[in-house]
Amino acid sequence: MSVEEYIKERQLAFRDNEGTDKMTSFDRGEVKRQITKAVKEKISESRSINIADLNETKKDIRDLALKLIEEEVDVNYGHLLLKASDKYEILDILMQNMFGYGVIEPYIKDESVTEIMINGSRNIFIEARGIITRALDRRGNPLEFSGQEELKNIIDKIVAPINRKVDESDPIVDARLPDGSRVNVVLNPVSLDGAAVTIRKFPQNPYTMEQLVEFGAISLEAAELLKIMVRAKYNIIVSGSTGSGKTTFLNALSMFIPENSRVVTIEDSAELKFSQVENKVRLEARPPNLEGKGEITIRSLVKTALRMRPDRIVVGEVRGGEALDMLQAMNTGHDGSLSTGHANSAVDMLMRLETMVLMSGVQFPLLSVRQQIASAVDIIVHLSKLRDGTRRVMSITEILGIEDGEIIATDIFSFRESDIGGGHENEHIKGVLEWTGERIARVQKFSMAGIQDYCKYLKGV
């Protein structure tokens, strides 16, 4: 009997009474999950290789897994006549589960993907190049975990290195992958539709300001001005909404810090990467342990940093009472400090700073709070994620001081959208960050840095 005749005979043998071919109607995904589970159990029971030493045995495990897949298919699923591509797909899933993070492993390795959003086991979305889409497998089908158990195993693998437990009694946890990606996990019953996992990825090689100029995120002349401002020790806050690129931009700004500076970075989750400064200390906040003890807050780290003789302090993000300590540091000899904050505009950032200072628990009159802010903060750079998915600098704003009890600010650069079309979603937006004609009033730091003859942007020069 020829191969063709054998295949035809097997297909006819499994045709049901209504003429439906079971070869095409079986749940291919479920079969692959069952095979994967069976083979994984057999590998776990194997004593022929040292599974604990993953690096040396990965190839051995792959060879063994392929052999076991072949055996499992022949014994229990031979009537389905699975293709070689199906078997290798099962092999890839198995290896991803054992050595990586399951079905999302390819997206974790994909540098174009900046966010992975898991809403239960059957709804996975990604953000790539600023656009959010449903995650697909290699066949173009929606990517899914085999079930909540597989997703829970991946979550356990994520939180294990930081010695954290996440369960119903403690359903929310923040973690970090070995590559620096930030992870937030929320379990049921807090997350009603199953475990929710959000992975924020960061480029292994942070973007430079030159690259941001190439991408159109900022104009060349605005980038040059910010470069001089950082070197002249202006205190700068980068504001923007979630996902607007604040950390990326802060990384690029920090590359302008002179090499001979002593810098202390303070972050909730370590994300900043700048290598040009050798004399740096990186501090990271710590959540409480299972007993609710051992928490180290951003605010306590800011206070500690002041005792470490920093030239500059870089706070990854201010979101609470630490704003007061940061402002006081800026006002007491730590010029050139940088930070980020969530806000919808530069003016909103000023109001948020007021609120955060009041959250510190120290009773200040509102006027005193505003005077602290106006004295400490020199520049606010505001970013936005536009409807086409691009991140742009929308304004560079100088804080001028207090007038009639209000903080006065003026835009030095402002983004102007041009060539406006129908405003369709994802339509490429054209525009330019251009000088408003306003000149910088606070020129003392330029003078102290020896660059008073710099350019047209300085008032009175």
Side-chain angles (χ1 to χ4, degrees):
M1 180 184 296
S2 68
V3 174
E4 289 79 6
E5 290 172 332
Y6 173 76
I7 293 175
K8 185 175 181 180
E9 180 181 294
R10 295 294 293 272
Q11 289 177 329
L12 290 173
F14 290 95
R15 193 179 295 272
D16 63 20
N17 294 333
E18 296 179 357
T20 301
D21 191 349
K22 290 186 179 181
M23 268 287 296
T24 59
S25 64
F26 73 90
D27 188 338
R28 185 180 298 272
E30 180 59 29
V31 168
K32 290 177 182 178
R33 285 190 283 270
Q34 293 297 332
I35 296 174
T36 301
K37 182 178 179 181
V39 172
K40 190 174 182 180
E41 290 175 354
K42 290 180 180 179
I43 291 177
S44 298
E45 297 168 358
S46 173
R47 295 294 182 271
S48 61
I49 54 178
N50 181 16
I51 296 179
D53 192 353
L54 298 182
N55 290 329
E56 293 185 5
T57 62
K58 188 172 182 179
K59 183 179 183 302
D60 293 335
I61 292 178
R62 185 179 179 87
D63 293 341
L64 175 63
L66 184 57
K67 178 182 176 182
L68 293 175
I69 289 170
E70 294 278 5
E71 292 176 358
E72 182 71 15
V73 169
D74 288 343
V75 173
N76 297 315
Y77 302 93
H79 61 283
L80 298 180
L81 299 177
L82 292 174
K83 301 176 183 178
S85 59
D86 292 320
K87 297 175 184 177
Y88 277 99
E89 187 173 341
I90 294 170
L91 177 62
D92 288 341
I93 294 172
L94 187 63
M95 297 302 288
Q96 288 165 2
N97 282 332
M98 295 184 67
F99 294 93
Y101 298 99
V103 295
I104 63 172
E105 180 70 13
Y107 287 111
I108 288 178
K109 292 181 176 178
D110 188 343
E111 294 186 0
S112 68
V113 174
T114 54
E115 198 107 25
I116 302 172
M117 294 153 278
I118 303 169
N119 310 329
S121 61
R122 295 185 177 274
N123 290 291
I124 305 175
F125 296 84
I126 61 168
E127 182 189 63
R129 300 175 183 87
I131 306 299
I132 296 178
T133 58
R134 183 177 286 274
L136 305 176
D137 62 20
R138 65 176 63 184
R139 296 176 180 273
N141 299 317
L143 193 67
E144 298 177 354
F145 289 95
S146 61
Q148 291 293 337
E149 182 180 355
E150 182 186 355
L151 177 54
K152 184 62 168 62
N153 289 337
I154 297 302
I155 292 173
D156 290 339
K157 184 179 292 188
I158 290 172
V159 302
I162 62 171
N163 197 27
R164 289 292 305 276
K165 183 180 73 171
V166 56
D167 54 25
E168 289 187 5
S169 62
D170 190 13
I172 301 175
V173 69
D174 291 310
R176 190 171 68 244
L177 299 183
D179 65 358
S181 299
R182 187 175 67 202
V183 185
N184 173 262
V185 178
V186 182
L187 296 186
N188 188 284
V190 176
S191 177
L192 301 181
D193 298 320
V197 182
T198 308
I199 303 175
R200 170 72 61 85
K201 294 175 57 184
F202 300 95
Q204 292 303 302
N205 298 309
Y207 294 128
T208 64
M209 193 62 74
E210 288 77 11
Q211 288 175 305
L212 296 182
V213 171
E214 291 177 9
F215 299 154
I218 185 173
S219 65
L220 178 59
E221 58 178 346
E224 287 293 330
L225 178 59
L226 288 177
K227 177 179 179 179
I228 299 299
M229 283 182 164
V230 171
R231 292 184 174 176
K233 291 192 172 184
Y234 275 67
N235 294 321
I236 300 174
I237 292 181
V238 180
S239 68
S241 58
T242 299
S244 59
K246 297 185 298 296
T247 301
T248 298
F249 197 84
L250 184 62
N251 253 321
L253 270 183
S254 65
M255 293 180 187
F256 296 143
I257 296 175
E259 298 177 5
N260 60 352
S261 301
R262 175 168 171 81
V263 180
V264 178
T265 66
I266 301 167
E267 300 175 83
D268 208 18
S269 180
E271 300 163 9
L272 297 174
K273 298 177 182 178
F274 54 99
S275 57
Q276 85 283 3
V277 176
E278 294 184 358
N279 190 359
K280 65 177 179 285
V281 178
R282 302 173 68 216
L283 304 179
E284 183 180 49
R286 186 176 71 186
N289 58 22
L290 296 177
E291 290 77 32
K293 300 178 180 179
E295 181 181 16
I296 298 177
T297 64
I298 292 287
R299 187 171 187 185
S300 65
L301 291 179
V302 172
K303 293 178 179 178
T304 298
L306 297 177
R307 305 185 186 101
M308 303 177 76
R309 201 258 172 233
D311 291 315
R312 302 170 188 245
I313 297 175
V314 180
V315 182
E317 180 182 343
V318 288
R319 62 182 70 177
E322 67 272 7
L324 173 61
D325 303 286
M326 185 193 70
L327 293 174
Q328 290 179 333
M330 289 177 172
N331 275 324
T332 54
H334 299 91
D335 285 334
S337 295
L338 308 172
S339 187
T340 75
H342 278 76
N344 293 323
S345 68
V347 173
D348 283 346
M349 188 68 240
L350 292 172
M351 291 189 290
R352 283 219 63 218
L353 284 172
E354 290 180 14
T355 303
M356 288 187 283
V357 170
L358 296 175
M359 289 169 61
S360 68
V362 180
Q363 298 300 316
F364 280 116
L366 185 57
L367 180 59
S368 296
V369 173
R370 290 176 176 173
Q371 287 173 336
Q372 284 265 0
I373 295 171
S375 176
V377 180
D378 297 310
I379 297 292
I380 295 178
V381 181
H382 184 72
L383 283 71
S384 287
K385 180 182 175 183
L386 303 184
R387 62 179 179 273
D388 63 351
T390 59
R391 281 99 169 166
R392 306 280 185 93
V393 174
M394 303 305 292
S395 65
I396 299 176
T397 304
E398 183 187 15
I399 310 304
L400 300 176
I402 293 286
E403 186 175 302
D404 296 329
E406 299 290 334
I407 300 176
I408 305 302
T410 185
D411 289 344
I412 305 301
F413 277 82
S414 181
F415 180 81
R416 180 177 59 83
E417 187 173 340
S418 60
D419 228 3
I420 301 176
H424 300 295
E425 188 176 3
N426 300 337
E427 176 188 16
H428 179 65
I429 295 176
K430 295 181 180 180
V432 61
L433 182 68
E434 59 185 11
W435 181 38
T436 62
E438 294 287 342
R439 298 179 186 272
I440 298 171
R442 300 169 79 162
V443 299
Q444 298 91 338
K445 292 183 178 180
F446 279 98
S447 300
M448 292 177 66
I451 48 179
Q452 64 270 21
D453 59 343
Y454 173 54
C455 63
K456 63 184 179 182
Y457 305 117
L458 304 186
K459 186 174 288 186
V461 175

